[in-house]
Amino acid sequence: MKHNAKTNFMLVIISFLLTLSTQVQAGELLYAKGFTPSQKAQVKVCYKKDKTFPQQVSKLTANGDIAIKGMHKQRDGYLFITITNTHGKWLAHPPLKCDLRSDAKKASDRELKLNQEKKRALKLQQEQKIKQDTAKRKTLETSKSADNKAQTDKQYREEQAQKAKKIAYRKADINKQAVNCKNELLSTLTIPNDPSYKTSGNMQVSSNHINVTVQVAKYKDGLKRSTKSHAKKCKVKPTVFPRNI
């Protein structure tokens, strides 16, 4: 019996100490010097009309006293600037927010905020879509430009190659016409089959005419004794190109 009584007594003491400790840790809501009666009255209004205000006070005073040193009017109520005593110094503390809007006003503001967020999200989505479409278009344009450039370069090389073929074919054809013109001139000449007779010639080819000159010289004792010149002028004929040129 004595043991049970002693145990119960100890439990009562421990419970008392815990209660005392809790009371020491919990603080009060105070008012700093200069806080006017009308401002204090506004705090009372916040206690009555804002259900979250007492909860905020309880949370802020859980570890000691806090004091309200100022207040600011806001669109939906008030913001109270608070300080707390830490190691003998009053330091800045998280503020208290008083929301005096009616339930209907809160619901309206929530709906308005939600609509604004939806509009912002939609605008952001549209802007991202525009950026993506712009990036895709630029990529497509770059790719198309590169393809067009490659096609243009290829076409240019083919045209240049074809042009070079035509020039070479035309040149060969004119040379052939010049040889034919020379042969025609030679066919009209009677040159003795004698080593003392020697021939030389010259051809001048322009875009329209071929001028062939043949000189027949007679030599005696290693010296040129006589020279006779023969000339023929042929018209350059148009070249007939094959289908693959």
Side-chain angles (χ1 to χ4, degrees), residues 47-178:
Y47 266 108
K48 292 180 180 180
K49 293 189 175 183
D50 186 356
K51 296 177 182 179
T52 67
F53 194 78
Q55 298 173 2
Q56 295 179 64
V57 173
S58 297
K59 184 176 180 181
L60 291 181
T61 58
N63 297 321
D65 295 339
I66 65 167
I68 300 177
K69 64 173 293 187
M71 59 183 285
H72 299 291
K73 184 74 174 70
Q74 293 187 321
R75 185 178 64 86
D76 54 359
Y78 292 91
L79 185 71
F80 297 99
I81 308 303
T82 65
I83 54 177
T84 183
N85 195 330
T86 304
H87 304 300
K89 293 183 179 180
W90 287 96
L91 303 175
H93 200 258
L96 283 168
K97 184 173 177 59
C98 173
D99 191 343
L100 298 180
R101 294 175 298 169
S102 64
D103 292 341
K105 177 60 176 172
K106 290 179 181 178
S108 176
D109 287 348
R110 280 195 301 270
E111 185 176 358
L112 178 62
K113 183 179 179 181
L114 182 62
N115 290 336
Q116 289 175 342
E117 289 177 351
K118 287 181 178 179
K119 288 181 180 179
R120 282 195 294 268
L122 180 60
K123 184 179 179 181
L124 180 61
Q125 185 179 6
Q126 291 173 343
E127 290 175 350
Q128 290 177 343
K129 181 72 166 54
I130 292 173
K131 289 181 179 179
Q132 291 174 354
D133 292 345
T134 302
K136 288 181 180 178
R137 188 180 70 253
K138 287 184 177 180
T139 302
L140 184 61
E141 288 175 353
T142 302
S143 177
K144 187 175 181 181
S145 177
D147 291 343
N148 289 341
K149 186 177 183 305
Q151 183 64 29
T152 301
D153 292 345
K154 181 182 177 182
Q155 185 176 353
Y156 175 78
R157 289 193 299 270
E158 291 176 349
E159 289 175 353
Q160 290 300 108
Q162 192 74 3
K163 185 177 180 181
K165 286 181 181 179
K166 291 187 73 172
I167 291 174
Y169 192 89
R170 172 64 173 168
K171 186 176 181 181
D173 182 57
I174 291 176
N175 289 338
K176 185 178 179 181
Q177 293 184 42

Side-chain angles (χ1 to χ4, degrees), residues 185 188-191 212-216 228-232:
L185 175 59
T188 62
L189 302 179
T190 301
I191 302 173
V212 179
T213 302
V214 174
Q215 291 181 343
V216 181
K228 189 173 183 178
S229 295
H230 305 274
K232 183 176 179 61

Side-chain angles (χ1 to χ4, degrees), residues 1-50:
M1 293 291 291
K2 290 181 178 181
H3 177 72
N4 291 336
K6 186 176 181 180
T7 301
N8 291 335
F9 179 72
M10 291 297 294
L11 291 174
V12 170
I13 291 176
I14 292 171
S15 176
F16 174 74
L17 290 175
L18 289 173
T19 303
L20 181 62
S21 175
T22 303
Q23 289 177 349
V24 170
Q25 290 179 356
E28 295 181 359
L29 180 63
L30 306 175
Y31 300 104
K33 186 177 180 180
F35 204 72
T36 65
S38 62
Q39 291 175 324
K40 293 177 182 179
Q42 191 59 59
V43 174
K44 292 181 180 179
V45 172
C46 290
Y47 266 108
K48 292 180 180 180
K49 293 189 175 183
D50 186 356

